[in-house]
Amino acid sequence: MDPCAVPADAHTLLFGARKLLLVLHAAAAVVLIGSATHHLLQMPARLRGAPRLRLERIYALVVAVTYALTFALGALLYPTYRYHVRALFLDRHHPAISNLFDIKENLATIALLVALGMGAVGGRLTTDADDRALVRVYVGMAAFVAAVVWFNVVSGLVIVSYRSV
Amino acid sequence: MRPTHRVFLAFLVARLVFGVVFLASALGRWPVPWYFPLQHRWELARRVTGLAMDWYGRSLVALLAGAAAGGLAYAVAHAPSAARLFARRGFVAAVAHLGAVMRMQDVLFYVFTLATRHVTPAALPSWYCPR
């Protein structure tokens, strides 16, 4: 018998699937950071008035879908992290890392609607005068989502390097 | 109003309302559903004792408020009189700028509040093994 086995009354939501959920969460984040970065790299062409509409639309859609997927997988994993990682370890030994995680989760929520909005309008704005003001808004959204995704992926790696689920 | 502008406006309104509610619910300690991960139960409260998580409830309330406002803006923008107002050059951009300001307030509030937070460690259970 494993002397360190976690008793049944300390099992959190989907405790038995925590490792699988973490791998899926990380895999979705890999696709997300790639698509968010490639999407952002389309923005200089967009600002020059020569957008690559097809690429922009594809990347924006991939960002929206993988953002929602990464967010949902993280939400499923969160109760296990909250007790077994944060409450039992990080709060005691590395409180700054606990705080870093909470910053990461709230930033993820703040950027969720922005990512979904990008998926809905990505590649659909034209070079017309009517769309010019909106293009700057769209570029701002792309930069914000990419910044949040990069921050969250890097901080996620830092947190996991201290203690994982 | 062009369909793309209507969809864009709906998302921008949703983002603005989400930003307001996400900030106000934390500042005003609104009652939100809290999740207790060890008891697997929910409780609607302003604050709780014991190990509980308000992130789900706070996020859900703000996202639902944002979705409702965005849906309403999308529907209203279909009406000719509203469409004329919304189609004015600068209207959608003004909503976007308000939303961006709100979003930055959310970011600054949560980063500052959480970065300076002092956490209290929970008592270790008898079965806990340091590793």
PDB file of all heavy atoms in Angstrom, chain A residues 4 7 11 75 78-79 82-83 92 99 102 106 109 117 130-131 163, chain B residues 2 5 11 22 40 51 53 55-56 58 89 114 117 122 127 129 131:
ATOM      1  N   CYS A   4       1.682   7.236   0.931  1.00  0.00           N
ATOM      2  CA  CYS A   4       1.330   8.622   0.598  1.00  0.00           C
ATOM      3  C   CYS A   4       0.048   8.703  -0.236  1.00  0.00           C
ATOM      4  O   CYS A   4      -0.215   9.739  -0.851  1.00  0.00           O
ATOM      5  CB  CYS A   4       2.479   9.287  -0.151  1.00  0.00           C
ATOM      6  SG  CYS A   4       3.905   9.595   0.888  1.00  0.00           S
ATOM      7  N   PRO A   7      -6.382   9.899   0.430  1.00  0.00           N
ATOM      8  CA  PRO A   7      -7.650   9.229   0.776  1.00  0.00           C
ATOM      9  C   PRO A   7      -8.806   9.746  -0.084  1.00  0.00           C
ATOM     10  O   PRO A   7      -8.758  10.865  -0.609  1.00  0.00           O
ATOM     11  CB  PRO A   7      -7.850   9.583   2.248  1.00  0.00           C
ATOM     12  CG  PRO A   7      -7.017  10.784   2.482  1.00  0.00           C
ATOM     13  CD  PRO A   7      -5.867  10.721   1.525  1.00  0.00           C
ATOM     14  N   HIS A  11     -10.246  13.552  -2.466  1.00  0.00           N
ATOM     15  CA  HIS A  11     -10.265  13.592  -3.933  1.00  0.00           C
ATOM     16  C   HIS A  11     -11.091  14.776  -4.414  1.00  0.00           C
ATOM     17  O   HIS A  11     -12.245  14.929  -4.020  1.00  0.00           O
ATOM     18  CB  HIS A  11     -10.839  12.280  -4.492  1.00  0.00           C
ATOM     19  CG  HIS A  11      -9.848  11.165  -4.471  1.00  0.00           C
ATOM     20  ND1 HIS A  11      -9.959  10.036  -5.242  1.00  0.00           N
ATOM     21  CD2 HIS A  11      -8.692  11.009  -3.783  1.00  0.00           C
ATOM     22  CE1 HIS A  11      -8.926   9.232  -5.016  1.00  0.00           C
ATOM     23  NE2 HIS A  11      -8.150   9.803  -4.129  1.00  0.00           N
ATOM     24  N   ALA A  75     -10.087  24.926 -16.309  1.00  0.00           N
ATOM     25  CA  ALA A  75     -11.161  25.041 -15.309  1.00  0.00           C
ATOM     26  C   ALA A  75     -11.466  23.678 -14.677  1.00  0.00           C
ATOM     27  O   ALA A  75     -11.766  23.591 -13.486  1.00  0.00           O
ATOM     28  CB  ALA A  75     -12.418  25.618 -15.958  1.00  0.00           C
ATOM     29  N   TYR A  78      -8.664  22.876 -12.180  1.00  0.00           N
ATOM     30  CA  TYR A  78      -8.449  23.881 -11.143  1.00  0.00           C
ATOM     31  C   TYR A  78      -8.716  23.382  -9.708  1.00  0.00           C
ATOM     32  O   TYR A  78      -7.908  23.649  -8.807  1.00  0.00           O
ATOM     33  CB  TYR A  78      -9.284  25.118 -11.478  1.00  0.00           C
ATOM     34  CG  TYR A  78      -9.004  26.339 -10.646  1.00  0.00           C
ATOM     35  CD1 TYR A  78      -7.806  26.500  -9.943  1.00  0.00           C
ATOM     36  CD2 TYR A  78      -9.939  27.370 -10.568  1.00  0.00           C
ATOM     37  CE1 TYR A  78      -7.565  27.631  -9.194  1.00  0.00           C
ATOM     38  CE2 TYR A  78      -9.700  28.496  -9.822  1.00  0.00           C
ATOM     39  CZ  TYR A  78      -8.518  28.622  -9.130  1.00  0.00           C
ATOM     40  OH  TYR A  78      -8.287  29.741  -8.380  1.00  0.00           O
ATOM     41  N   PRO A  79      -9.816  22.650  -9.440  1.00  0.00           N
ATOM     42  CA  PRO A  79     -10.035  22.220  -8.051  1.00  0.00           C
ATOM     43  C   PRO A  79      -8.884  21.372  -7.496  1.00  0.00           C
ATOM     44  O   PRO A  79      -8.511  21.515  -6.329  1.00  0.00           O
ATOM     45  CB  PRO A  79     -11.334  21.403  -8.135  1.00  0.00           C
ATOM     46  CG  PRO A  79     -12.031  21.944  -9.333  1.00  0.00           C
ATOM     47  CD  PRO A  79     -10.943  22.277 -10.308  1.00  0.00           C
ATOM     48  N   ARG A  82      -6.109  23.687  -6.747  1.00  0.00           N
ATOM     49  CA  ARG A  82      -6.432  24.580  -5.625  1.00  0.00           C
ATOM     50  C   ARG A  82      -6.140  23.935  -4.277  1.00  0.00           C
ATOM     51  O   ARG A  82      -5.673  24.605  -3.345  1.00  0.00           O
ATOM     52  CB  ARG A  82      -7.912  24.991  -5.714  1.00  0.00           C
ATOM     53  CG  ARG A  82      -8.394  25.890  -4.589  1.00  0.00           C
ATOM     54  CD  ARG A  82      -7.686  27.234  -4.607  1.00  0.00           C
ATOM     55  NE  ARG A  82      -8.065  28.068  -3.476  1.00  0.00           N
ATOM     56  CZ  ARG A  82      -7.515  27.991  -2.263  1.00  0.00           C
ATOM     57  NH1 ARG A  82      -6.563  27.104  -2.009  1.00  0.00           N
ATOM     58  NH2 ARG A  82      -7.907  28.807  -1.295  1.00  0.00           N
ATOM     59  N   TYR A  83      -6.445  22.618  -4.164  1.00  0.00           N
ATOM     60  CA  TYR A  83      -6.217  21.971  -2.875  1.00  0.00           C
ATOM     61  C   TYR A  83      -4.834  21.297  -2.816  1.00  0.00           C
ATOM     62  O   TYR A  83      -4.021  21.610  -1.953  1.00  0.00           O
ATOM     63  CB  TYR A  83      -7.318  20.938  -2.596  1.00  0.00           C
ATOM     64  CG  TYR A  83      -7.119  20.257  -1.256  1.00  0.00           C
ATOM     65  CD1 TYR A  83      -7.104  21.015  -0.081  1.00  0.00           C
ATOM     66  CD2 TYR A  83      -6.931  18.891  -1.150  1.00  0.00           C
ATOM     67  CE1 TYR A  83      -6.905  20.418   1.156  1.00  0.00           C
ATOM     68  CE2 TYR A  83      -6.738  18.284   0.079  1.00  0.00           C
ATOM     69  CZ  TYR A  83      -6.714  19.056   1.231  1.00  0.00           C
ATOM     70  OH  TYR A  83      -6.497  18.474   2.454  1.00  0.00           O
ATOM     71  N   ARG A  92       2.192  27.573   1.545  1.00  0.00           N
ATOM     72  CA  ARG A  92       3.109  27.429   2.682  1.00  0.00           C
ATOM     73  C   ARG A  92       4.551  27.794   2.300  1.00  0.00           C
ATOM     74  O   ARG A  92       5.248  28.470   3.045  1.00  0.00           O
ATOM     75  CB  ARG A  92       3.047  25.981   3.184  1.00  0.00           C
ATOM     76  CG  ARG A  92       3.852  25.680   4.418  1.00  0.00           C
ATOM     77  CD  ARG A  92       3.538  24.263   4.875  1.00  0.00           C
ATOM     78  NE  ARG A  92       2.114  24.059   5.079  1.00  0.00           N
ATOM     79  CZ  ARG A  92       1.477  24.327   6.216  1.00  0.00           C
ATOM     80  NH1 ARG A  92       2.152  24.787   7.241  1.00  0.00           N
ATOM     81  NH2 ARG A  92       0.172  24.148   6.326  1.00  0.00           N
ATOM     82  N   ASN A  99       0.178  33.426  -5.879  1.00  0.00           N
ATOM     83  CA  ASN A  99      -0.382  34.675  -6.402  1.00  0.00           C
ATOM     84  C   ASN A  99      -0.225  34.761  -7.916  1.00  0.00           C
ATOM     85  O   ASN A  99      -1.117  35.251  -8.613  1.00  0.00           O
ATOM     86  CB  ASN A  99       0.290  35.877  -5.728  1.00  0.00           C
ATOM     87  CG  ASN A  99      -0.058  35.959  -4.257  1.00  0.00           C
ATOM     88  OD1 ASN A  99      -0.963  35.276  -3.785  1.00  0.00           O
ATOM     89  ND2 ASN A  99       0.658  36.780  -3.512  1.00  0.00           N
ATOM     90  N   ASP A 102      -3.010  32.910  -9.567  1.00  0.00           N
ATOM     91  CA  ASP A 102      -4.304  33.602  -9.542  1.00  0.00           C
ATOM     92  C   ASP A 102      -4.331  34.774 -10.526  1.00  0.00           C
ATOM     93  O   ASP A 102      -5.377  35.086 -11.100  1.00  0.00           O
ATOM     94  CB  ASP A 102      -4.627  34.072  -8.115  1.00  0.00           C
ATOM     95  CG  ASP A 102      -5.129  32.909  -7.267  1.00  0.00           C
ATOM     96  OD1 ASP A 102      -4.874  31.751  -7.651  1.00  0.00           O
ATOM     97  OD2 ASP A 102      -5.782  33.148  -6.237  1.00  0.00           O
ATOM     98  N   ASN A 106      -7.073  34.884 -13.730  1.00  0.00           N
ATOM     99  CA  ASN A 106      -7.948  36.037 -13.950  1.00  0.00           C
ATOM    100  C   ASN A 106      -7.662  36.721 -15.282  1.00  0.00           C
ATOM    101  O   ASN A 106      -8.587  37.180 -15.954  1.00  0.00           O
ATOM    102  CB  ASN A 106      -7.849  37.018 -12.777  1.00  0.00           C
ATOM    103  CG  ASN A 106      -8.631  36.520 -11.572  1.00  0.00           C
ATOM    104  OD1 ASN A 106      -9.852  36.456 -11.600  1.00  0.00           O
ATOM    105  ND2 ASN A 106      -7.935  36.112 -10.524  1.00  0.00           N
ATOM    106  N   THR A 109      -9.446  34.815 -17.922  1.00  0.00           N
ATOM    107  CA  THR A 109     -10.872  35.145 -18.008  1.00  0.00           C
ATOM    108  C   THR A 109     -11.072  36.485 -18.722  1.00  0.00           C
ATOM    109  O   THR A 109     -11.961  36.624 -19.563  1.00  0.00           O
ATOM    110  CB  THR A 109     -11.500  35.220 -16.600  1.00  0.00           C
ATOM    111  OG1 THR A 109     -11.177  34.026 -15.905  1.00  0.00           O
ATOM    112  CG2 THR A 109     -13.000  35.368 -16.660  1.00  0.00           C
ATOM    113  N   GLY A 117     -14.215  37.035 -29.719  1.00  0.00           N
ATOM    114  CA  GLY A 117     -14.573  38.109 -30.654  1.00  0.00           C
ATOM    115  C   GLY A 117     -13.664  38.119 -31.872  1.00  0.00           C
ATOM    116  O   GLY A 117     -14.115  38.317 -33.003  1.00  0.00           O
ATOM    117  N   ASP A 130     -14.711  52.739 -43.864  1.00  0.00           N
ATOM    118  CA  ASP A 130     -15.585  52.408 -42.733  1.00  0.00           C
ATOM    119  C   ASP A 130     -14.904  51.476 -41.742  1.00  0.00           C
ATOM    120  O   ASP A 130     -15.214  51.472 -40.549  1.00  0.00           O
ATOM    121  CB  ASP A 130     -16.868  51.721 -43.232  1.00  0.00           C
ATOM    122  CG  ASP A 130     -17.873  52.729 -43.741  1.00  0.00           C
ATOM    123  OD1 ASP A 130     -17.617  53.929 -43.548  1.00  0.00           O
ATOM    124  OD2 ASP A 130     -18.882  52.307 -44.322  1.00  0.00           O
ATOM    125  N   ASP A 131     -14.012  50.646 -42.249  1.00  0.00           N
ATOM    126  CA  ASP A 131     -13.382  49.634 -41.396  1.00  0.00           C
ATOM    127  C   ASP A 131     -12.073  50.101 -40.779  1.00  0.00           C
ATOM    128  O   ASP A 131     -11.528  49.425 -39.913  1.00  0.00           O
ATOM    129  CB  ASP A 131     -13.099  48.356 -42.214  1.00  0.00           C
ATOM    130  CG  ASP A 131     -14.376  47.560 -42.442  1.00  0.00           C
ATOM    131  OD1 ASP A 131     -15.421  48.006 -41.950  1.00  0.00           O
ATOM    132  OD2 ASP A 131     -14.312  46.514 -43.103  1.00  0.00           O
ATOM    133  N   ARG A 163       5.608  22.887  -8.400  1.00  0.00           N
ATOM    134  CA  ARG A 163       4.804  21.727  -7.980  1.00  0.00           C
ATOM    135  C   ARG A 163       3.667  21.556  -8.983  1.00  0.00           C
ATOM    136  O   ARG A 163       3.044  22.534  -9.370  1.00  0.00           O
ATOM    137  CB  ARG A 163       4.230  21.957  -6.570  1.00  0.00           C
ATOM    138  CG  ARG A 163       3.339  20.865  -6.026  1.00  0.00           C
ATOM    139  CD  ARG A 163       3.998  19.526  -5.877  1.00  0.00           C
ATOM    140  NE  ARG A 163       5.175  19.486  -5.031  1.00  0.00           N
ATOM    141  CZ  ARG A 163       5.183  19.158  -3.741  1.00  0.00           C
ATOM    142  NH1 ARG A 163       4.065  18.831  -3.144  1.00  0.00           N
ATOM    143  NH2 ARG A 163       6.310  19.123  -3.048  1.00  0.00           N
TER     144      ARG A 163
ATOM    145  N   ARG B   2     -23.395  46.996 -41.497  1.00  0.00           N
ATOM    146  CA  ARG B   2     -22.892  45.757 -42.095  1.00  0.00           C
ATOM    147  C   ARG B   2     -22.863  44.624 -41.061  1.00  0.00           C
ATOM    148  O   ARG B   2     -22.628  44.863 -39.879  1.00  0.00           O
ATOM    149  CB  ARG B   2     -21.476  46.002 -42.633  1.00  0.00           C
ATOM    150  CG  ARG B   2     -21.518  46.725 -43.974  1.00  0.00           C
ATOM    151  CD  ARG B   2     -20.174  47.197 -44.418  1.00  0.00           C
ATOM    152  NE  ARG B   2     -19.107  46.266 -44.155  1.00  0.00           N
ATOM    153  CZ  ARG B   2     -17.807  46.583 -44.270  1.00  0.00           C
ATOM    154  NH1 ARG B   2     -17.471  47.790 -44.642  1.00  0.00           N
ATOM    155  NH2 ARG B   2     -16.874  45.702 -44.015  1.00  0.00           N
ATOM    156  N   HIS B   5     -19.878  44.539 -38.817  1.00  0.00           N
ATOM    157  CA  HIS B   5     -19.866  45.605 -37.810  1.00  0.00           C
ATOM    158  C   HIS B   5     -20.818  45.274 -36.668  1.00  0.00           C
ATOM    159  O   HIS B   5     -20.544  45.583 -35.510  1.00  0.00           O
ATOM    160  CB  HIS B   5     -20.250  46.936 -38.452  1.00  0.00           C
ATOM    161  CG  HIS B   5     -19.177  47.479 -39.339  1.00  0.00           C
ATOM    162  ND1 HIS B   5     -19.170  48.757 -39.816  1.00  0.00           N
ATOM    163  CD2 HIS B   5     -18.062  46.900 -39.839  1.00  0.00           C
ATOM    164  CE1 HIS B   5     -18.096  48.955 -40.566  1.00  0.00           C
ATOM    165  NE2 HIS B   5     -17.427  47.833 -40.599  1.00  0.00           N
ATOM    166  N   PHE B  11     -19.651  41.998 -29.753  1.00  0.00           N
ATOM    167  CA  PHE B  11     -18.529  41.526 -28.939  1.00  0.00           C
ATOM    168  C   PHE B  11     -17.909  42.661 -28.127  1.00  0.00           C
ATOM    169  O   PHE B  11     -17.493  42.456 -26.981  1.00  0.00           O
ATOM    170  CB  PHE B  11     -17.466  40.857 -29.819  1.00  0.00           C
ATOM    171  CG  PHE B  11     -17.725  39.391 -29.968  1.00  0.00           C
ATOM    172  CD1 PHE B  11     -18.348  38.896 -31.089  1.00  0.00           C
ATOM    173  CD2 PHE B  11     -17.368  38.495 -28.957  1.00  0.00           C
ATOM    174  CE1 PHE B  11     -18.617  37.545 -31.227  1.00  0.00           C
ATOM    175  CE2 PHE B  11     -17.629  37.148 -29.079  1.00  0.00           C
ATOM    176  CZ  PHE B  11     -18.248  36.667 -30.224  1.00  0.00           C
ATOM    177  N   PHE B  22     -16.910  42.135 -13.977  1.00  0.00           N
ATOM    178  CA  PHE B  22     -15.793  41.361 -13.414  1.00  0.00           C
ATOM    179  C   PHE B  22     -15.059  42.174 -12.346  1.00  0.00           C
ATOM    180  O   PHE B  22     -14.613  41.629 -11.338  1.00  0.00           O
ATOM    181  CB  PHE B  22     -14.837  40.960 -14.544  1.00  0.00           C
ATOM    182  CG  PHE B  22     -13.925  39.809 -14.199  1.00  0.00           C
ATOM    183  CD1 PHE B  22     -14.439  38.602 -13.747  1.00  0.00           C
ATOM    184  CD2 PHE B  22     -12.548  39.921 -14.339  1.00  0.00           C
ATOM    185  CE1 PHE B  22     -13.609  37.532 -13.437  1.00  0.00           C
ATOM    186  CE2 PHE B  22     -11.710  38.857 -14.036  1.00  0.00           C
ATOM    187  CZ  PHE B  22     -12.234  37.665 -13.589  1.00  0.00           C
ATOM    188  N   HIS B  40     -17.329  19.129  -2.786  1.00  0.00           N
ATOM    189  CA  HIS B  40     -18.010  19.061  -4.085  1.00  0.00           C
ATOM    190  C   HIS B  40     -19.387  19.726  -4.021  1.00  0.00           C
ATOM    191  O   HIS B  40     -20.393  19.167  -4.449  1.00  0.00           O
ATOM    192  CB  HIS B  40     -18.174  17.604  -4.560  1.00  0.00           C
ATOM    193  CG  HIS B  40     -16.895  16.847  -4.581  1.00  0.00           C
ATOM    194  ND1 HIS B  40     -16.002  16.907  -5.618  1.00  0.00           N
ATOM    195  CD2 HIS B  40     -16.338  16.013  -3.666  1.00  0.00           C
ATOM    196  CE1 HIS B  40     -14.959  16.150  -5.357  1.00  0.00           C
ATOM    197  NE2 HIS B  40     -15.124  15.593  -4.168  1.00  0.00           N
ATOM    198  N   LEU B  51     -11.944  26.175   2.698  1.00  0.00           N
ATOM    199  CA  LEU B  51     -11.349  26.139   1.356  1.00  0.00           C
ATOM    200  C   LEU B  51     -12.452  26.221   0.292  1.00  0.00           C
ATOM    201  O   LEU B  51     -13.257  25.305   0.159  1.00  0.00           O
ATOM    202  CB  LEU B  51     -10.551  24.837   1.184  1.00  0.00           C
ATOM    203  CG  LEU B  51      -9.773  24.755  -0.116  1.00  0.00           C
ATOM    204  CD1 LEU B  51      -8.497  25.572  -0.035  1.00  0.00           C
ATOM    205  CD2 LEU B  51      -9.437  23.320  -0.452  1.00  0.00           C
ATOM    206  N   MET B  53     -13.626  28.330  -3.697  1.00  0.00           N
ATOM    207  CA  MET B  53     -13.140  29.065  -4.876  1.00  0.00           C
ATOM    208  C   MET B  53     -14.261  29.940  -5.429  1.00  0.00           C
ATOM    209  O   MET B  53     -15.339  29.451  -5.726  1.00  0.00           O
ATOM    210  CB  MET B  53     -12.716  28.061  -5.961  1.00  0.00           C
ATOM    211  CG  MET B  53     -11.726  27.020  -5.464  1.00  0.00           C
ATOM    212  SD  MET B  53     -11.783  25.503  -6.421  1.00  0.00           S
ATOM    213  CE  MET B  53     -10.997  26.051  -7.916  1.00  0.00           C
ATOM    214  N   TRP B  55     -13.623  31.921  -8.184  1.00  0.00           N
ATOM    215  CA  TRP B  55     -13.279  32.240  -9.577  1.00  0.00           C
ATOM    216  C   TRP B  55     -14.349  31.782 -10.559  1.00  0.00           C
ATOM    217  O   TRP B  55     -14.720  32.523 -11.474  1.00  0.00           O
ATOM    218  CB  TRP B  55     -11.926  31.615  -9.936  1.00  0.00           C
ATOM    219  CG  TRP B  55     -11.530  31.800 -11.360  1.00  0.00           C
ATOM    220  CD1 TRP B  55     -11.005  32.927 -11.926  1.00  0.00           C
ATOM    221  CD2 TRP B  55     -11.637  30.833 -12.416  1.00  0.00           C
ATOM    222  NE1 TRP B  55     -10.774  32.714 -13.266  1.00  0.00           N
ATOM    223  CE2 TRP B  55     -11.149  31.438 -13.595  1.00  0.00           C
ATOM    224  CE3 TRP B  55     -12.090  29.518 -12.471  1.00  0.00           C
ATOM    225  CZ2 TRP B  55     -11.105  30.777 -14.818  1.00  0.00           C
ATOM    226  CZ3 TRP B  55     -12.042  28.850 -13.689  1.00  0.00           C
ATOM    227  CH2 TRP B  55     -11.559  29.481 -14.844  1.00  0.00           C
ATOM    228  N   TYR B  56     -14.872  30.553 -10.354  1.00  0.00           N
ATOM    229  CA  TYR B  56     -15.908  30.049 -11.274  1.00  0.00           C
ATOM    230  C   TYR B  56     -17.122  30.975 -11.268  1.00  0.00           C
ATOM    231  O   TYR B  56     -17.625  31.374 -12.312  1.00  0.00           O
ATOM    232  CB  TYR B  56     -16.377  28.655 -10.852  1.00  0.00           C
ATOM    233  CG  TYR B  56     -15.360  27.557 -10.993  1.00  0.00           C
ATOM    234  CD1 TYR B  56     -14.787  26.972  -9.871  1.00  0.00           C
ATOM    235  CD2 TYR B  56     -14.990  27.076 -12.243  1.00  0.00           C
ATOM    236  CE1 TYR B  56     -13.864  25.947  -9.993  1.00  0.00           C
ATOM    237  CE2 TYR B  56     -14.069  26.055 -12.369  1.00  0.00           C
ATOM    238  CZ  TYR B  56     -13.509  25.499 -11.237  1.00  0.00           C
ATOM    239  OH  TYR B  56     -12.597  24.492 -11.352  1.00  0.00           O
ATOM    240  N   ARG B  58     -17.506  34.098 -10.104  1.00  0.00           N
ATOM    241  CA  ARG B  58     -17.244  35.476 -10.537  1.00  0.00           C
ATOM    242  C   ARG B  58     -17.112  35.534 -12.058  1.00  0.00           C
ATOM    243  O   ARG B  58     -17.645  36.419 -12.716  1.00  0.00           O
ATOM    244  CB  ARG B  58     -15.970  35.967  -9.866  1.00  0.00           C
ATOM    245  CG  ARG B  58     -15.934  37.413  -9.532  1.00  0.00           C
ATOM    246  CD  ARG B  58     -14.830  37.800  -8.545  1.00  0.00           C
ATOM    247  NE  ARG B  58     -13.805  36.817  -8.297  1.00  0.00           N
ATOM    248  CZ  ARG B  58     -12.717  36.649  -9.044  1.00  0.00           C
ATOM    249  NH1 ARG B  58     -12.543  37.407 -10.098  1.00  0.00           N
ATOM    250  NH2 ARG B  58     -11.817  35.738  -8.727  1.00  0.00           N
ATOM    251  N   ARG B  89     -19.941  56.965 -37.965  1.00  0.00           N
ATOM    252  CA  ARG B  89     -18.499  56.738 -37.885  1.00  0.00           C
ATOM    253  C   ARG B  89     -18.017  57.128 -36.476  1.00  0.00           C
ATOM    254  O   ARG B  89     -18.338  58.188 -35.980  1.00  0.00           O
ATOM    255  CB  ARG B  89     -17.770  57.553 -38.951  1.00  0.00           C
ATOM    256  CG  ARG B  89     -16.296  57.228 -39.023  1.00  0.00           C
ATOM    257  CD  ARG B  89     -15.676  57.808 -40.260  1.00  0.00           C
ATOM    258  NE  ARG B  89     -16.144  57.107 -41.460  1.00  0.00           N
ATOM    259  CZ  ARG B  89     -15.735  57.392 -42.679  1.00  0.00           C
ATOM    260  NH1 ARG B  89     -14.866  58.343 -42.872  1.00  0.00           N
ATOM    261  NH2 ARG B  89     -16.188  56.714 -43.714  1.00  0.00           N
ATOM    262  N   LEU B 114      -3.650  40.830  -6.518  1.00  0.00           N
ATOM    263  CA  LEU B 114      -3.168  39.460  -6.294  1.00  0.00           C
ATOM    264  C   LEU B 114      -1.661  39.417  -6.041  1.00  0.00           C
ATOM    265  O   LEU B 114      -1.184  38.583  -5.271  1.00  0.00           O
ATOM    266  CB  LEU B 114      -3.547  38.578  -7.484  1.00  0.00           C
ATOM    267  CG  LEU B 114      -5.058  38.372  -7.630  1.00  0.00           C
ATOM    268  CD1 LEU B 114      -5.403  37.719  -8.960  1.00  0.00           C
ATOM    269  CD2 LEU B 114      -5.594  37.533  -6.466  1.00  0.00           C
ATOM    270  N   ARG B 117      -1.109  40.152  -2.370  1.00  0.00           N
ATOM    271  CA  ARG B 117      -1.959  39.400  -1.437  1.00  0.00           C
ATOM    272  C   ARG B 117      -1.103  38.560  -0.481  1.00  0.00           C
ATOM    273  O   ARG B 117      -0.079  38.002  -0.870  1.00  0.00           O
ATOM    274  CB  ARG B 117      -2.873  38.487  -2.251  1.00  0.00           C
ATOM    275  CG  ARG B 117      -3.813  37.637  -1.440  1.00  0.00           C
ATOM    276  CD  ARG B 117      -4.606  36.725  -2.330  1.00  0.00           C
ATOM    277  NE  ARG B 117      -3.761  35.758  -3.015  1.00  0.00           N
ATOM    278  CZ  ARG B 117      -4.213  34.785  -3.797  1.00  0.00           C
ATOM    279  NH1 ARG B 117      -5.502  34.681  -4.020  1.00  0.00           N
ATOM    280  NH2 ARG B 117      -3.384  33.950  -4.376  1.00  0.00           N
ATOM    281  N   ALA B 122      -3.058  26.447   4.650  1.00  0.00           N
ATOM    282  CA  ALA B 122      -4.041  25.570   5.305  1.00  0.00           C
ATOM    283  C   ALA B 122      -3.305  24.578   6.193  1.00  0.00           C
ATOM    284  O   ALA B 122      -2.115  24.303   5.983  1.00  0.00           O
ATOM    285  CB  ALA B 122      -4.838  24.832   4.234  1.00  0.00           C
ATOM    286  N   TRP B 127      -2.543  12.554   6.380  1.00  0.00           N
ATOM    287  CA  TRP B 127      -2.037  11.671   5.325  1.00  0.00           C
ATOM    288  C   TRP B 127      -1.004  12.349   4.429  1.00  0.00           C
ATOM    289  O   TRP B 127      -0.393  11.723   3.580  1.00  0.00           O
ATOM    290  CB  TRP B 127      -3.197  11.162   4.450  1.00  0.00           C
ATOM    291  CG  TRP B 127      -4.066  12.257   3.901  1.00  0.00           C
ATOM    292  CD1 TRP B 127      -5.253  12.692   4.414  1.00  0.00           C
ATOM    293  CD2 TRP B 127      -3.819  13.095   2.754  1.00  0.00           C
ATOM    294  NE1 TRP B 127      -5.764  13.733   3.669  1.00  0.00           N
ATOM    295  CE2 TRP B 127      -4.901  13.997   2.643  1.00  0.00           C
ATOM    296  CE3 TRP B 127      -2.792  13.158   1.811  1.00  0.00           C
ATOM    297  CZ2 TRP B 127      -4.984  14.953   1.637  1.00  0.00           C
ATOM    298  CZ3 TRP B 127      -2.873  14.117   0.796  1.00  0.00           C
ATOM    299  CH2 TRP B 127      -3.956  14.994   0.721  1.00  0.00           C
ATOM    300  N   CYS B 129       2.139  13.689   2.660  1.00  0.00           N
ATOM    301  CA  CYS B 129       3.555  13.314   2.603  1.00  0.00           C
ATOM    302  C   CYS B 129       4.322  14.428   1.895  1.00  0.00           C
ATOM    303  O   CYS B 129       4.036  14.700   0.735  1.00  0.00           O
ATOM    304  CB  CYS B 129       3.762  12.038   1.792  1.00  0.00           C
ATOM    305  SG  CYS B 129       3.254  10.571   2.655  1.00  0.00           S
ATOM    306  N   ARG B 131       6.985  15.925  -0.441  1.00  0.00           N
ATOM    307  CA  ARG B 131       7.754  15.339  -1.545  1.00  0.00           C
ATOM    308  C   ARG B 131       8.573  16.414  -2.237  1.00  0.00           C
ATOM    309  O   ARG B 131       8.330  17.576  -2.048  1.00  0.00           O
ATOM    310  CB  ARG B 131       6.843  14.626  -2.541  1.00  0.00           C
ATOM    311  CG  ARG B 131       5.726  15.478  -3.121  1.00  0.00           C
ATOM    312  CD  ARG B 131       4.823  14.664  -4.024  1.00  0.00           C
ATOM    313  NE  ARG B 131       3.610  15.364  -4.337  1.00  0.00           N
ATOM    314  CZ  ARG B 131       3.343  15.930  -5.530  1.00  0.00           C
ATOM    315  NH1 ARG B 131       4.200  15.855  -6.500  1.00  0.00           N
ATOM    316  NH2 ARG B 131       2.206  16.565  -5.739  1.00  0.00           N
TER     317      ARG B 131
END
